[in-house]
Amino acid sequence: MSAKGTNGPAKGTVSPEAAPDRPELIRNVVLVGHSGAGKTMLLEAVLASTGAISRMGSIADGTTVSDSDPSAVHQQRSVTLSVAPVVVGDIKVNLLDTPGYADFVGELRAGLRAADGALFVVSAVDGVDATTTALWAECERVGMPRAVVISRLDHPRADYDGVFAECRAAFGESVLPLYLPLRDDGAVTGLLGLLSGTVSDYSGDELQPTFRPAEQSELAEWDAARGELIEGIIAESEDETLMDRYLGGEEISLDTLIGDLETAVARGSFFPVIPTSATNGLGTAELLEVLTRGFPSPAEHAVPEVSELNGNPVEDLTCDPNGPLVGEVVRTTVDPFLGRVCLVRLFSGTLHEDTPVHIAGHGLEERGHPDHDSDERLGHLYSPFGSNLRPVQYAVAGDLCAIARVSAETGDTVSSRERPLLVAAWDMPEPLMPVAVEAASHGDEDALAKNLARVAAGDPTLRVERNSETHQLVLWCMGEAHAEVVLDRLREQGVKLQTVDVVTPLRETFAEGAAGHGRYVKQSGGHGQYAICDIEVEPLERGGGFEFVDKIVGGVIPGPFIVSVEKGVRSQMEKGVAKGFPVVDIRVTLVGGKTHSVDSSDAAFQAAGALALREAAAAAKIQLLEPVSSVTISVPDDYVGAVMSDLSSRRGRLTGTTSAGSGSSSGEPLTEISAEVPDVELLRYAVELRALTAGTGRFRREYLRHDPVPGG
């Protein structure tokens, strides 16, 4: 963005782990884009070009800074959020690499929470996908500054012009290039700065470019692209006279254009495009110049909503190192030596090592993440660099740091003991794909429970459930890849487990009335057991629950034993009468029975009541009931027909469709489809809907009722 063209990223004057002393010297930038777009290797090239690492790593070998997780190496893609700071001059840039695969959207959300600007990485080979477009719209709604990187220009099938056109169509007219790629014998070897007319030459062996004025032949397309860029910048200028002066033929100074450009980028109304190639470092110098000069510092970014523990809002909180301490845990991992390690984004105040703090949490107890409200003392403070932790003495508002050996989990707030505060929770997607697991042996059950708690502590998109009806341990995941990562982490910790089929919690009911005779008579010396009861069973309407009616006449069964019969019936209902599923929606009427003055007892009449219900069931038709959920699916209009057809094949009953407005900058309309679908048809729907809608479909579900199983 400099008037003379970029001079490349200066080698850090301080080491990357050194802590800046004010927010203005920090940039927090999250890299987003679909899986395979080249985010991880772009980060490697940036790190290598600034001297943060001596050489670029390899995804295949698992040697990159951001993909050291064993699951990432196994899947050959990012599965976690990773932080790698670089220092450019006196500015520390915290680069946050996020997974591009939809299953790991929780890690993406954490990256967005921790960042003040987003770098959209789009492959010159694959172009813009629907998920990236939807994410752009999400950033647009909150006004997050953005830039676009068109990556992988070294690939034989790279199509810069075509993909740039896709970006403008998907993201809007304010997406414009600052540089044009220059080719030599088909290979992209340099960039032409449209404002400066300077060429950055990356044809050498070093990742750093050399600079020279553009030749006349290289300026052939310069005028048209430069004119469009200047008009785009002037349109964002706060100087309303600038456009008239430009159209009147006045030459606008580069300093004025660059100043307006930087302002527009920082406020999120103009989005520069930078061509890159990780292979030769193409565009890394230009990218860092955009991030350091155009992207906002944390001091220019609003602090999330903060309240006291009693719910009273805290007003006028800013990113001030001298303000009250407020930080949020955006990611949690478990280190074999340090234990729980928390990545913290500081929004206010300054955090020092060996400091007493307050940990407060909220809102995810239903997913196995209990609330926290405790005073603890920090030990060491760290600056994260991939999987490495570099000790620092302090971290100021706006920076990212790591703390260890605390009880905090993702989403928790770190504040001072003197003034404990709570940051409002961010939206976390609901896991909708169940995976049932069980320990390989009885001896492995404790290890499974212990290590599952550790894994869940660092993954707010994982919900752990012990189903009260099926007694299965169910892990609710975002999809198959997410489930694979969770299971891999458990096995890495020595847990022997296996997956089993998810059992849908069916129920039983009587499809017709029936009578049952319960006779429990035993004599084994001394007091025996004697209880006889007669019942009538009739079905109730769906959702009717259970009714017990006493029609005993003449006291043939005393009152206490009538209660015993009801207990026995209820106990048998829980166990089931046909397939072992709970019995619901029946009325049981006690109409007769006999007692013995000595041998009758509470236990005997409970047993007789259970026997009577089983006998009635043997004489009647038992209907199986399956759970049905109310499902709301949000999809672009292009996929409505396919989704509705698929719902029909799942025995779904359509209940309505409504317009849900626009889902992207391009104005793509969305439709919400409402339906009632049996739960057994939804076990893999999270995965199958994604495939059906090219990753654009979203759904939510809520238990509705139990309905008869066809043919059951």
Side-chain angles (χ1 to χ4, degrees):
M1 287 186 174
S2 65
K4 297 179 181 179
T6 179
N7 292 315
K11 299 289 185 180
T13 56
V14 292
S15 60
E17 66 269 22
D21 58 6
R22 58 186 191 275
E24 290 78 9
L25 299 179
I26 300 169
R27 303 290 185 270
N28 296 309
V29 181
V30 60
L31 280 67
V32 301
H34 64 79
S35 185
K39 300 183 296 297
T40 297
M41 292 311 299
L42 174 63
L43 177 58
E44 288 290 301
V46 170
L47 295 175
S49 69
T50 57
I53 57 176
S54 58
R55 55 177 295 184
M56 291 173 57
S58 162
I59 292 176
D61 296 337
T63 54
T64 62
V65 169
S66 57
D67 281 356
S68 58
D69 187 289
S71 296
V73 178
H74 172 64
Q75 294 196 17
Q76 293 289 287
R77 60 185 169 202
S78 299
V79 300
T80 62
L81 172 68
S82 184
V83 181
V86 296
V87 174
V88 183
D90 58 355
I91 294 178
K92 178 185 180 184
V93 183
N94 289 314
L95 295 169
L96 298 104
D97 187 17
T98 63
Y101 196 63
D103 277 19
F104 309 109
V105 64
E107 303 286 334
L108 169 62
R109 299 278 179 191
L112 291 171
R113 182 68 160 194
D116 304 302
L119 192 62
F120 277 72
V121 182
V122 180
S123 167
V125 180
D126 303 316
V128 182
D129 71 335
T131 302
T132 304
T133 304
L135 181 59
W136 181 278
E138 185 175 327
C139 291
E140 188 173 53
R141 283 192 291 272
V142 298
M144 177 171 278
R146 283 147 282 161
V148 178
V149 164
I150 297 182
S151 63
R152 302 180 65 193
L153 286 179
D154 56 298
H155 195 280
R157 292 192 291 109
D159 179 10
Y160 171 81
D161 293 333
V163 170
F164 170 68
E166 283 186 41
C167 290
R168 291 204 78 185
F171 305 150
E173 295 299 309
S174 294
V175 174
L176 286 168
L178 294 183
Y179 306 91
L180 293 179
L182 296 178
R183 294 173 174 82
D184 182 10
D185 196 24
V188 179
T189 58
L191 298 179
L192 170 63
L194 291 179
L195 291 181
S196 65
T198 301
V199 170
S200 307
D201 189 343
Y202 286 87
S203 60
D205 295 333
E206 299 293 328
L207 294 177
Q208 290 280 351
T210 58
F211 302 95
R212 59 175 174 80
E215 298 175 1
Q216 195 61 41
S217 60
E218 294 168 331
L219 297 176
E221 300 179 24
W222 185 65
D223 281 342
R226 184 174 189 270
E228 188 175 14
L229 173 62
I230 291 175
E231 289 183 13
I233 294 172
I234 291 175
E236 299 294 334
S237 175
E238 296 177 356
D239 184 349
E240 297 179 357
T241 69
L242 203 59
M243 182 63 77
D244 290 337
R245 289 158 49 195
Y246 174 71
L247 295 177
E250 180 179 336
E251 184 71 24
I252 307 300
S253 72
L254 285 182
D255 287 343
T256 298
L257 291 173
I258 291 170
D260 286 340
L261 169 62
E262 292 172 355
T263 300
V265 171
R267 72 177 175 225
S269 60
F270 185 88
F271 316 105
V273 179
I274 303 100
T276 67
S277 168
T279 302
N280 60 357
L282 179 83
T284 53
E286 291 74 14
L287 173 59
L288 284 170
E289 190 173 32
V290 169
L291 298 185
T292 54
R293 297 188 57 176
F295 270 40
S297 73
E300 302 169 72
H301 195 250
V303 173
E305 180 182 333
V306 177
S307 66
E308 297 176 344
L309 298 189
N310 60 10
N312 292 333
V314 178
E315 305 291 346
D316 301 325
L317 196 65
T318 61
C319 185
D320 181 1
N322 298 314
L325 179 63
V326 180
E328 186 175 29
V329 178
V330 295
R331 184 164 192 271
T332 310
T333 57
V334 177
D335 184 273
F337 303 105
L338 294 176
R340 188 173 296 179
V341 177
C342 299
L343 176 65
V344 178
R345 163 67 194 260
L346 284 175
F347 293 110
S348 174
T350 300
L351 189 61
H352 295 271
E353 62 177 345
D354 195 29
T355 302
V357 296
H358 184 83
I359 306 293
H362 49 71
L364 289 173
E365 191 167 2
E366 72 280 1
R367 299 193 189 182
H369 304 268
D371 286 356
H372 294 96
D373 188 6
S374 61
D375 291 332
E376 302 180 33
R377 178 174 287 276
L378 296 184
H380 292 297
L381 202 62
Y382 303 95
S383 173
F385 188 85
S387 60
N388 296 320
L389 298 174
R390 299 167 168 177
V392 291
Q393 293 182 339
Y394 66 89
V396 299
D399 207 353
L400 299 172
C401 65
I403 57 178
R405 296 191 175 99
V406 292
S407 66
E409 297 184 1
T410 302
D412 286 355
T413 301
V414 179
S415 56
S416 66
R417 286 184 180 179
E418 296 73 25
R419 191 183 182 188
L421 299 172
L422 196 61
V423 179
W426 75 83
D427 289 338
M428 195 60 66
E430 184 70 23
L432 293 169
M433 193 189 89
V435 178
V437 299
E438 60 183 30
S441 66
H442 181 72
D444 294 312
E445 290 179 355
D446 288 345
L448 174 58
K450 178 181 178 181
N451 288 285
L452 186 55
R454 290 179 178 175
V455 172
D459 190 349
T461 60
L462 173 67
R463 177 159 61 91
V464 181
E465 174 192 50
R466 175 70 72 174
N467 191 286
S468 59
E469 294 185 30
T470 66
H471 307 294
Q472 283 190 309
L473 179 60
V474 179
L475 311 181
W476 288 87
C477 304
M478 299 302 299
E480 289 179 324
H482 182 212
E484 184 179 346
V485 168
V486 171
L487 296 175
D488 282 350
R489 287 178 178 158
L490 289 169
R491 289 172 177 134
E492 287 163 10
Q493 295 168 16
V495 179
K496 297 180 180 178
L497 56 80
Q498 56 196 19
T499 59
V500 294
D501 291 338
V502 176
V503 177
T504 302
L506 303 180
R507 293 176 186 170
E508 302 172 354
T509 194
F510 281 65
E512 58 191 10
H517 176 71
R519 183 176 187 276
Y520 189 76
V521 178
K522 290 188 176 182
Q523 188 68 45
S524 57
H527 285 301
Q529 298 288 339
Y530 188 95
I532 297 175
C533 66
D534 293 294
I535 64 171
E536 293 176 352
V537 183
E538 55 187 311
L540 296 176
E541 291 184 359
R542 200 67 57 236
F546 171 64
E547 295 179 10
F548 185 83
V549 180
D550 170 20
K551 285 192 176 181
I552 292 297
V553 178
V556 294
I557 299 180
F561 292 154
I562 292 175
V563 175
S564 300
V565 172
E566 181 179 355
K567 287 182 180 178
V569 169
R570 287 182 179 274
S571 175
Q572 190 61 52
M573 288 176 64
E574 292 178 3
K575 297 175 184 176
V577 293
K579 301 291 186 180
F581 298 107
V583 178
V584 297
D585 302 340
I586 61 171
R587 178 187 293 119
V588 174
T589 304
L590 180 60
V591 296
K594 294 181 181 180
T595 63
H596 188 279
S597 59
V598 176
D599 292 343
S600 290
S601 66
D602 171 63
F605 270 96
Q606 286 194 46
L611 286 169
L613 186 64
R614 291 204 297 269
E615 183 175 291
K621 179 182 178 182
I622 301 301
Q623 175 71 60
L624 288 179
L625 304 175
E626 63 180 345
V628 175
S629 287
S630 173
V631 178
T632 302
I633 307 157
S634 177
V635 294
D637 285 358
D638 290 347
Y639 298 102
V640 169
V643 170
M644 291 175 65
S645 175
D646 180 70
L647 287 173
S648 297
S649 71
R650 298 175 186 275
R651 298 185 285 127
R653 186 175 73 87
L654 186 69
T655 58
T657 59
T658 58
S659 173
S662 172
S664 70
S665 303
S666 59
E668 185 178 20
L670 298 176
T671 294
E672 281 196 347
I673 304 169
S674 301
E676 297 174 359
V677 186
D679 281 13
V680 70
E681 302 288 349
L682 296 173
L683 295 178
R684 289 179 47 80
Y685 194 57
V687 176
E688 290 159 348
L689 177 65
R690 188 183 303 155
L692 188 66
T693 62
T696 60
R698 302 288 183 270
F699 82 103
R700 58 185 185 274
R701 59 186 287 184
E702 184 177 359
Y703 169 75
L704 193 60
R705 61 178 180 272
H706 273 68
D707 278 351
V709 175

